Amino acid sequence: MPTASDNTQAPQPPPISVLSLSIPVAMGYVPLGMVFGFLFVQAGASWWLALLASIFVFAGAAQFMMIPMLSLGLPVASIALATLVVNLRHVFYGLSLLDRLPAQPWARWYLVFALTDETYSVLTTLPSGTSTRQMVAVALLNQGWWVLGTLLGALIGTQAQVPLVGLDFALAALFAVLAVEQWRSADTPAPLWVAVLSYAVAQAVVPQQALLVAIALSVLAGLFWRPSAPKEVAP
């Protein structure tokens, strides 16, 4: 004889609101995208180039890094290599999501392209049964916020003739905050010292390519670095 508990179904989880998942990302992407668009235009580029960069590059910190490199007239190959090195961490993001990425080629490739730090954080919190449409919608919305911010900042930049003296420090401040947060969460300050020493060496040897050489030296140090094993504490 069936009991009341047999007829009681487990409560279903509430439907996922893609917009509610993306709103916290928008709070950071829209203002940062505006800063990028504004600085990009103030550096002498057209507003539509800033928009294309956010649509087809969509690399966050690497886009900010692109501004001074473009203003210095560095070759596209150097900029592409620096962008590749900065975004190498996304390879490991993708590897950890291989079993969750959709099977459809178009959706899979777009999620690989749009996999930023914030999008990765949101996707890893989704339940295992999340549909392909919802996963793509999260990534698409997140990129949309960045593109919207870029467009607004670029349009403002075309109207406001503000010199970059002092304003371009926003880029240095952004990376300083990121470096401090990484330093605080790291077990050792060694990565920070490696980066500082790498840039010092690059600036002394090849000042015209100091940033690119410093990034390459830091990556080489990371490849050969072997962190020490944690010490065992006696009971």
Side-chain angles (χ1 to χ4, degrees):
M1 180 177 179
T3 60
S5 60
D6 296 331
N7 297 328
T8 303
Q9 297 181 352
Q12 296 295 325
I16 299 174
S17 173
V18 174
L19 182 60
S20 65
L21 291 173
S22 183
I23 286 297
V25 178
M27 302 300 289
Y29 271 17
V30 172
L32 276 179
M34 290 180 66
V35 172
F36 166 73
F38 186 85
L39 292 178
F40 195 89
V41 170
Q42 289 291 309
S46 301
W47 67 270
W48 57 270
L49 287 176
L51 191 63
L52 288 180
S54 290
I55 293 175
F56 294 106
V57 179
F58 188 41
Q63 288 183 236
F64 280 98
M65 179 190 65
M66 201 168 56
I67 298 174
M69 298 182 78
L70 285 173
S71 63
L72 291 174
L74 295 182
V76 176
S78 298
I79 299 175
L81 179 59
T83 303
L84 174 64
V85 172
V86 170
N87 288 332
L88 274 179
R89 68 187 187 280
H90 293 168
V91 174
F92 302 99
Y93 289 171
L95 290 176
S96 65
L97 283 176
L98 278 179
D99 58 339
R100 303 190 62 178
L101 291 177
Q104 295 90 332
W106 66 269
R108 195 178 187 90
W109 280 107
Y110 176 71
L111 286 175
V112 169
F113 163 76
L115 193 60
T116 61
D117 300 333
E118 292 75 14
T119 300
Y120 175 82
S121 301
V122 175
L123 291 180
T124 52
T125 61
L126 296 177
S128 57
T130 303
S131 66
T132 298
R133 181 184 62 82
Q134 290 173 321
M135 295 179 68
V136 172
V138 167
L140 190 61
L141 264 178
N142 288 350
Q143 185 181 8
W145 298 126
W146 182 264
V147 172
L148 174 62
T150 299
L151 177 61
L152 293 176
L155 292 179
I156 294 173
T158 58
Q159 302 298 324
Q161 298 301 322
V162 180
L164 283 179
V165 178
L167 184 60
D168 54 350
F169 184 72
L171 176 60
L174 171 65
F175 281 106
V177 171
L178 295 176
V180 169
E181 290 301 319
Q182 289 293 325
W183 185 17
R184 294 176 60 184
S185 61
D187 297 329
T188 171
L192 178 62
W193 288 114
V194 167
V196 172
L197 292 175
S198 297
Y199 188 79
V201 171
Q203 182 66 29
V205 178
V206 280
Q208 297 298 326
Q209 301 286 343
L211 179 60
L212 183 60
V213 173
I215 292 174
L217 290 176
S218 298
V219 170
L220 287 175
L223 291 176
F224 292 100
W225 179 269
R226 292 294 179 268
S228 58
K231 298 181 179 179
E232 295 183 0
V233 180

